[in-house]
Amino acid sequence: MDSIQCRPVCDRWSECRDVCDHDKLKNLINKLDDPVPWIGVYIAAASVVCSLAMAADAFHGFRSKVLWFPCKYFSFNAISLTLLAVTLKLPIDLTASTLGVSEILARVSSLVFMSTAMANFMTSLGSMDDNEMVLNLAALGIMIITVIGNAYIHLITVCYFDGAPQIICEEIVATGFIFISLVMFCSSSLTVLTTTRYIECKYQEMCKIALDEEKLDGPKFPVDKLRLVVKKYWVMAVTGCPQFVMARSVTCTASGLMCVLATLTLVEAHIRIPKVYQGRGYGCGTFSAYKWSTKWILYVQSIGVALGTIVPAFRWFTAAQLKCSDIGRKSFKNELKIETYWNQRLKDCRESSLPLQVRHHKWKKLLHAVRRLFLNCCLRVQYLLVWASKLVLLISASFFHHIRKLKIFVIGASDDTRGSDYGGDAQLDLTRYVLQLQGEPGIPERTLKNIWNEVDGMTEKGKRQKPINLIDLIHKSNNFNGVREFDNNRVPSLHSQEPPNSWSLPVVTFACIAIALPNISNDNANQLVRNAADVVWVGVDLNCKWQEKDLRKLSLHSRTSKESLEELSNYAERTVKRFLGEVNDFLMDKPLNWPVKIIAANSMYRISQTILMASGNNETDEGLFDHLSIMIADILAASLTNLPHVITTICHHNSQKERQKSVRQAAFLLGETEEILQILQQREISSLDPNKPAYIDELRTFIEEDNGNSLASVPSIGSETQQSNKELVAIELHG
């Protein structure tokens, strides 16, 4: 009886215990779900970074009028792949309940966002080497296969939900776009090596033509001619840029159109899916653990898709407009002809030997047959993909061509215009320096004009930053006599071999001597150092010290310039002799192996002795200072006669990745030194080889052998050098 009465109590206790356990489990699940919205914020933040990077590339392209939009801020690398993996967290999360409107749209937006990102950084494939490309493609492939696999597992799971077929259509389409984008990536990567070699061969060929033209012009280069040389190399550098070559490819064009279609799919999903939910009587709330953060993901990624579509859409539109000029010039069969560089790498791989060492002949033959079968399949897929991309480009170009005929809008109508707007026949002749692949349509002259304007802009920027102090110093030089006078052969050598002279070392030494002269105002000395600031050591420029010797104190303690020169000469001589006495290493017997400070001390000794021999006791401090200023100006002017050769050498760069940067530097240097080139143009020695001025000793030897026939007479160090700086400038300007 007691047991019968207790049973209901026990049953109630069990039920209560189950309820308590269930509540605890529910509370635990809720606690575990509490941080999930913050994960959604993290996803949104990663999406913001990617979106800003894509927008920055678009802004950079519009600002520089480069409508093929190079990947400068958002490219195909480990960082971008890591960020994109974070943005795809929602589609690969199978634990979250994603049956609400916001969740479905967020999943679609994440997939479309990935497709848009891939279309944006596709051109960066052109600037990657093989190893980098293989690693990044492997990472991208693993990530996309994982995303697609998880997406279809989710689709299969929710297919039992009433009305699921009506809300998962866009997700299926979005995964299809991602998969096709991956295939296009692989297809484009197969052509990079072949197209790079082809463009490089054309670049070297055009460089030979340009160099032959430069030799005909001789060592004297007018500034206008030098501008044309820089433009030649700039056209070659830009049109041969690996990213530009990739942007002009048909697969990149098709990728741009596919990105536009993916964006339209997201727009359609935003319109249709809420209507489907409302029509079936379902609520439009959020059901997943991401809660309020789902809407943040949706809004941010939708905006990111809108911003990211700009670059691929303009690449597609620009390529279609460019192709418009070729409509009707080729037959339909020729338009869809597949060039050899698309399949060359696969064919080479198919005909090559196995990378594995297999001893058994039967297995080796089987592996070779399997590989050949696989590569034949890849060739067919490649052929089909390129053919379809060419067809897409042709249809797009025909569409815009007919619209232009109807005069609905005339964007790009001036592409075929020719005339003086592009700088005359001299600039139009630069079109032969355009580097193109086989089968590519010609680049419109409006695009070429933007290319020319960019290099002109760099030259103008250099003009605005011209070295005014250096130009003032160059005006003091009437000839190159300072190159011959700075070192007298009668000065006893401290070693059997003399170290070679550089251009900057004599200038530094003269500047130090000028500072050490007594009875010279600090303002004049500082002005001289500032004028030669590009080649003066930091210690001299900032602290007025030469190898720990205070030049200001030396000028205060010396009564005459002769005392200062003798003090500097003796100090330098002791420094060199101490070094030669302490070092027994046979390597140090060669002056080329000497430390920099010892070479500088040897230069100070020889130049100080040369000035002491030439000056005499009647030389005033002001006269000697003016003479040193002229010597510095002569040496700098002589060194700058090599500027045309330096500028053309900078233009020619072996690395495809660095050519644009190198030519920009040359254009900036041309603008920066244009006035100097005009000053020196009448002073150049016409019979001198353009490579000789690169070395001061060779130029000095040439001048000594020339016996001054092509130069003005050498002024003596005396009363004639006691003119003021203003008088020297006046002679230069009005003489």
Side-chain angles (χ1 to χ4, degrees):
M1 186 70 181
D2 294 337
S3 60
I4 294 174
Q5 292 177 351
C6 291
R7 189 174 299 167
V9 177
C10 294
D11 290 342
R12 292 195 189 98
W13 170 253
S14 177
E15 292 176 3
C16 292
R17 186 180 61 185
D18 291 341
V19 170
C20 291
D21 292 342
H22 178 73
D23 291 339
K24 287 182 180 179
L25 181 61
K26 188 176 180 180
N27 291 333
L28 178 61
I29 293 174
N30 290 334
K31 287 183 179 179
L32 292 174
D33 286 344
D34 285 342
V36 175
W38 296 105
I39 298 175
V41 173
Y42 181 54
I43 297 171
S47 303
V48 167
V49 174
C50 293
S51 302
L52 290 176
M54 290 187 285
D57 278 340
F59 177 77
H60 172 69
F62 284 121
R63 184 181 181 184
S64 56
K65 296 182 180 179
V66 182
L67 297 183
W68 55 272
F69 299 96
C71 297
K72 184 176 181 180
Y73 303 101
F74 189 67
S75 58
F76 185 35
N77 53 38
I79 296 175
S80 60
L81 289 178
T82 304
L83 288 171
L84 289 172
V86 176
T87 64
L88 291 170
K89 174 69 170 62
L90 194 59
I92 64 175
D93 190 353
L94 299 177
T95 62
S97 174
T98 53
L99 293 178
V101 174
S102 298
E103 286 87 352
I104 294 294
L105 289 175
R107 290 177 66 88
V108 176
S109 68
S110 296
L111 296 172
V112 174
F113 188 84
M114 180 64 191
S115 179
T116 304
M118 292 173 66
N120 271 266
F121 57 52
M122 189 174 186
T123 58
S124 62
L125 283 172
S127 57
M128 298 171 68
D129 56 39
D130 274 2
N131 292 332
E132 186 182 6
M133 191 183 302
V134 169
L135 292 174
N136 286 337
L137 276 176
L140 179 65
I142 293 170
M143 183 173 69
I144 288 179
I145 291 172
T146 303
V147 170
I148 294 176
N150 284 23
Y152 276 93
I153 291 173
H154 171 263
L155 292 176
I156 293 171
T157 304
V158 302
C159 68
Y160 299 103
F161 173 70
D162 185 23
Q166 297 184 20
I167 63 174
I168 62 175
C169 297
E170 289 83 2
E171 195 168 346
I172 295 173
V173 173
T175 53
F177 282 133
I178 291 181
F179 180 75
I180 296 174
S181 297
L182 177 62
V183 176
M184 282 189 169
F185 255 74
C186 296
S187 171
S188 300
S189 65
L190 291 171
T191 66
V192 171
L193 182 63
T194 309
T195 55
T196 300
R197 288 176 178 174
Y198 181 83
I199 290 293
E200 183 63 22
C201 290
K202 293 198 70 174
Y203 174 80
Q204 296 299 336
E205 181 183 344
M206 297 310 298
C207 276
K208 289 180 181 179
I209 296 173
L211 288 172
D212 291 339
E213 292 175 353
E214 292 165 21
K215 289 178 181 178
L216 293 175
D217 292 327
K220 279 194 174 183
F221 258 91
V223 174
D224 292 340
K225 197 72 176 178
L226 203 54
R227 280 176 176 266
L228 194 60
V229 169
V230 174
K231 286 184 179 180
K232 289 178 185 178
Y233 285 100
W234 179 247
V235 169
M236 289 190 287
V238 173
T239 57
C241 173
Q243 286 204 38
F244 192 17
V245 174
M246 179 60 65
R248 302 196 304 257
S249 67
V250 291
T251 52
C252 187
T253 303
S255 176
L257 177 58
M258 193 170 62
C259 176
V260 174
L261 295 177
T263 303
L264 294 177
T265 302
L266 180 59
V267 173
E268 186 269 344
H270 273 282
I271 298 172
R272 190 185 69 86
I273 291 179
K275 290 183 178 180
V276 171
Y277 267 75
Q278 291 174 0
R280 300 185 67 87
Y282 299 124
C284 296
T286 301
F287 303 111
S288 71
Y290 289 91
K291 299 178 182 178
W292 48 268
S293 66
T294 307
K295 291 187 177 181
W296 279 100
I297 297 172
L298 175 60
Y299 297 151
V300 168
Q301 291 186 345
S302 297
I303 295 172
V305 169
L307 294 174
T309 307
I310 297 173
V311 167
F314 263 88
R315 287 175 185 160
W316 163 65
F317 181 77
T318 303
Q321 289 288 306
L322 190 149
K323 186 67 176 176
C324 280
S325 59
D326 279 357
I327 293 294
R329 297 183 182 179
K330 298 180 182 178
S331 64
F332 184 76
K333 183 179 179 181
N334 289 332
E335 288 284 3
L336 299 180
K337 182 182 178 180
I338 308 299
E339 292 80 10
T340 55
Y341 57 81
W342 288 105
N343 299 322
Q344 189 62 46
R345 193 165 188 183
L346 285 173
K347 289 180 179 179
D348 292 341
C349 185
R350 183 182 61 182
E351 302 301 328
S352 64
S353 58
L354 288 171
L356 301 175
Q357 296 294 331
V358 182
R359 294 184 179 181
H360 199 286
H361 181 72
K362 182 179 179 181
W363 285 107
K364 185 176 182 179
K365 187 176 180 180
L366 179 62
L367 287 175
H368 187 78
V370 171
R371 188 186 68 162
R372 189 177 183 86
L373 178 63
F374 173 74
L375 290 174
N376 282 333
C377 293
C378 291
L379 278 167
R380 291 188 180 92
V381 173
Q382 177 81 338
Y383 182 90
L384 179 62
L385 189 63
V386 176
W387 185 88
S389 299
K390 282 178 170 285
L391 183 62
V392 167
L393 178 59
L394 184 60
I395 294 172
S396 302
S398 300
F399 175 74
F400 289 120
H401 181 69
H402 288 299
I403 288 181
R404 183 183 296 177
K405 276 188 173 181
L406 295 173
K407 297 183 179 180
I408 295 176
F409 61 87
V410 288
I411 295 178
S414 60
D415 285 353
D416 297 329
T417 59
R418 300 177 183 272
S420 60
D421 290 342
Y422 304 104
D425 295 336
Q427 283 195 358
L428 286 176
D429 190 47
L430 294 177
T431 54
R432 66 192 179 109
Y433 290 94
V434 174
L435 304 181
Q436 289 183 281
L437 294 172
Q438 179 186 1
E440 280 191 321
I443 296 178
E445 288 182 3
R446 187 180 66 174
T447 304
L448 291 178
K449 182 183 178 183
N450 291 336
I451 294 174
W452 297 332
N453 288 342
E454 187 175 357
V455 73
D456 286 338
M458 288 303 300
T459 306
E460 293 301 319
K461 184 178 179 181
K463 275 186 178 181
R464 292 192 294 269
Q465 300 183 31
K466 60 183 179 181
I468 298 175
N469 292 330
L470 181 59
I471 292 171
D472 292 340
L473 191 59
I474 296 298
H475 274 296
K476 296 180 181 180
S477 171
N478 291 319
N479 47 55
F480 301 142
N481 288 333
V483 177
R484 180 172 56 184
E485 293 180 341
F486 80 90
D487 192 353
N488 195 323
N489 293 329
R490 291 179 297 169
V491 176
S493 298
L494 300 177
H495 191 266
S496 58
Q497 302 180 49
E498 287 290 338
N501 282 299
S502 64
W503 285 105
S504 59
L505 187 56
V507 175
V508 172
T509 306
F510 278 123
C512 294
I513 292 173
I515 296 172
L517 293 178
N519 304 318
I520 298 298
S521 67
N522 291 340
D523 292 339
N524 289 340
N526 291 334
Q527 182 65 31
L528 178 62
V529 173
R530 277 196 305 271
N531 288 349
D534 290 337
V535 289
V536 173
W537 286 341
V538 175
V540 179
D541 189 19
L542 300 181
N543 304 319
C544 290
K545 287 186 177 182
W546 180 82
Q547 296 199 13
E548 305 304 325
K549 192 165 188 65
D550 195 320
L551 300 175
R552 290 295 185 202
K553 287 184 179 180
L554 179 61
S555 66
L556 292 174
H557 295 162
S558 300
R559 290 177 295 177
T560 64
S561 58
K562 184 178 180 180
E563 290 184 8
S564 297
L565 288 168
E566 288 177 347
E567 177 66 23
L568 287 172
S569 176
N570 293 335
Y571 181 82
E573 183 180 2
R574 290 194 302 270
T575 302
V576 176
K577 287 183 175 180
R578 188 185 309 114
F579 168 77
L580 295 175
E582 294 175 353
V583 177
N584 296 321
D585 192 346
F586 73 95
L587 291 176
M588 290 300 171
D589 288 340
K590 295 183 178 180
L592 284 174
N593 298 325
W594 288 2
V596 175
K597 288 188 175 182
I598 304 304
I599 295 176
N602 186 75
S603 176
M604 175 63 77
Y605 161 74
R606 295 196 61 82
I607 290 177
S608 299
Q609 287 295 321
T610 298
I611 297 173
L612 285 170
M613 287 182 179
S615 60
N617 296 326
N618 297 325
E619 178 65 25
T620 64
D621 295 335
E622 291 81 5
L624 183 56
F625 180 83
D626 289 339
H627 179 71
L628 294 179
S629 301
I630 295 173
M631 296 275 280
I632 291 175
D634 285 346
I635 295 173
L636 287 175
S639 69
L640 293 174
T641 58
N642 199 42
L643 268 174
H645 180 67
V646 171
I647 290 172
T648 54
T649 303
I650 292 174
C651 287
H652 184 68
H653 203 286
N654 290 327
S655 173
Q656 284 186 336
K657 297 179 181 178
E658 299 295 328
R659 277 176 194 157
Q660 289 191 61
K661 180 181 178 181
S662 185
V663 181
R664 279 195 185 97
Q665 291 175 349
F668 184 85
L669 180 61
L670 174 60
E672 196 177 21
T673 59
E674 185 173 316
E675 187 173 342
I676 295 175
L677 288 169
Q678 291 172 347
I679 294 171
L680 299 178
Q681 196 169 353
Q682 298 178 351
R683 306 183 194 177
E684 288 191 46
I685 307 171
S686 59
S687 59
L688 188 63
D689 188 283
N691 291 319
K692 295 295 183 183
Y695 308 97
I696 189 172
D697 289 331
E698 293 185 8
L699 181 58
R700 183 183 172 208
T701 302
F702 178 86
I703 293 175
E704 289 176 349
E705 292 175 354
D706 189 65
N707 291 323
N709 292 331
S710 62
L711 302 172
S713 60
V714 181
S716 61
I717 305 178
S719 59
E720 291 182 4
T721 61
Q722 297 179 17
Q723 323 173 62
S724 67
N725 292 345
K726 292 183 179 179
E727 291 173 338
L728 288 170
V729 174
I731 291 173
E732 176 62 32
L733 294 177
H734 304 291

